[in-house]
Amino acid sequence: MGPTLTFLGTGGSFGVPLIGCRCGSCTSVDPRDQRLRASVLLQWDQTRILIDAGPDFRQQALRSGIMGLEEVWLTHGHADHTNGIDDLRVFCFGGRVLPVRGSATTLQEATTRFRYAFRSEPDPSGVSHPLLLPKPLPESFEVSGRKVIPLPVHHGPFSVTGFRIGELVYLTDVSEIPASTFDLMEGTRILILSALREEPHPTHLTFDQAIAIGQKIGAEQVWFTHFAHGLTHSQMEARFPPSIRPAYDGLVVEFT
Ligand SMILES: [Zn+2]
Ligand SMILES: [Zn+2]
Ligand SMILES: [Zn+2]
């Protein structure tokens, strides 16, 4: 098998079902309507990369059988993408230091909120904590022979980093893609893009906005993710054009 992307979570910040809600998607018995917070695992050769460590990370790691990680990349500092950072400590046993990449702003937020986790030496008290090494994001970098291009996008007033690995692009928590980033996405064959819901939102693309971007990019495969509750998976399949499909937790996409 070539390189793969596994969707560990495809839910918005609340996850689906939403606590206390009895709507159609929240009471659905379709397993694809159980959406943990948005995160993906990339794997090629012996390299495993986690994009975002949200509050459901422990459950996602157990469910997908993640045995180790070589790197963590953060799209931004919001709680639904970083509140699982503490659970990364299992991958730091024996004094192993795990690199965490993100934009300067994202690393600033993460290292402020999880100051105890960003250190390279175990605490002398013996208390358990992650050993994380913040690594800045250059314009492009290489991991295990593959070129990675960070993609800056807007998320309302916040900045988010998407990632391009070869022909694959992962973009979550998007409200707008600047023209310079569209240029970096030229030739994308597999696009993963966040599409929150039908109604307008100040920091997220609506379904219609995301569909317009998906069609503009013209990728062979377009998968939407980071969904709010409201529509069920099968309702979304009917709602989106045939060229655009809703992702679901556990879905594995192969790329080259
Ligand atoms: Zn989010
Ligand atoms: Zn609901
Ligand atoms: Zn966000």
Side-chain angles (χ1 to χ4, degrees), residues 76 78 80-81 155 158 160 173 203-204 226:
H76 64 306
H78 285 168
D80 57 320
H81 299 259
H155 177 23
F158 310 104
V160 167
D173 291 58
T203 65
H204 288 281
H226 201 285

Side-chain angles (χ1 to χ4, degrees), residues 95-234:
R96 202 169 158 267
V97 175
L98 187 59
V100 176
R101 296 189 194 257
S103 70
T105 313
T106 299
L107 290 178
Q108 165 76 36
E109 280 182 50
T111 54
T112 303
R113 291 181 48 220
F114 296 91
R115 193 162 63 92
Y116 72 96
F118 284 87
R119 50 210 285 194
S120 52
E121 295 288 335
D123 193 280
S125 72
V127 68
S128 172
H129 60 80
L131 298 170
L132 305 180
L133 176 69
K135 279 189 125 177
L137 280 178
E139 269 182 30
S140 74
F141 58 98
E142 212 169 276
V143 178
S144 301
R146 288 194 164 258
K147 187 180 174 191
V148 182
I149 303 173
L151 303 171
V153 296
H154 301 304
H155 177 23
F158 310 104
S159 293
V160 167
T161 309
F163 296 95
R164 174 174 188 163
I165 310 101
E167 62 180 16
L168 174 110
V169 165
Y170 180 74
L171 283 178
T172 190
D173 291 58
V174 182
S175 61
E176 198 193 334
I177 302 177
S180 51
T181 296
F182 269 116
D183 292 344
L184 296 172
M185 292 166 66
E186 177 94 47
T188 301
R189 287 180 61 203
I190 304 175
L191 172 68
I192 294 146
L193 180 66
S194 61
L196 189 74
R197 63 183 191 192
E198 205 72 76
E199 304 79 26
H201 188 283
T203 65
H204 288 281
L205 296 173
T206 63
F207 290 155
D208 280 335
Q209 290 167 336
I211 288 167
I213 291 173
Q215 290 174 335
K216 177 174 168 181
I217 302 288
E220 271 170 35
Q221 287 181 45
V222 182
W223 298 97
F224 283 174
T225 187
H226 201 285
F227 300 116
H229 74 133
L231 292 191
T232 62
H233 187 89
S234 41

Side-chain angles (χ1 to χ4, degrees), residues 241-256:
S243 58
I244 295 177
R245 285 171 286 174
Y248 52 89
D249 291 24
L251 173 70
V252 179
V253 173
E254 262 192 273
F255 64 98
T256 53

Side-chain angles (χ1 to χ4, degrees), residues 6-86:
T6 303
F7 286 92
L8 301 175
T10 57
S13 62
F14 290 91
V16 181
L18 175 68
I19 295 172
C21 186
R22 304 298 297 161
C23 83
S25 67
C26 293
T27 53
S28 164
V29 295
D30 185 339
R32 297 172 302 179
D33 288 315
Q34 301 281 321
R35 301 185 186 277
L36 299 179
R37 263 61 72 89
S39 170
V40 294
L41 180 73
L42 302 172
Q43 297 185 82
W44 62 84
D45 302 328
Q46 304 306 312
T47 304
R48 296 152 295 185
I49 295 155
L50 177 73
I51 304 187
D52 290 333
D56 300 318
F57 173 66
R58 176 179 174 276
Q59 197 184 340
Q60 291 164 329
L62 292 170
R63 189 167 70 173
S64 289
I66 299 176
M67 304 298 283
L69 289 175
E70 277 61 57
E71 299 209 359
V72 177
W73 302 346
L74 298 176
T75 60
H76 64 306
H78 285 168
D80 57 320
H81 299 259
T82 59
N83 270 6
I85 281 178
D86 188 70

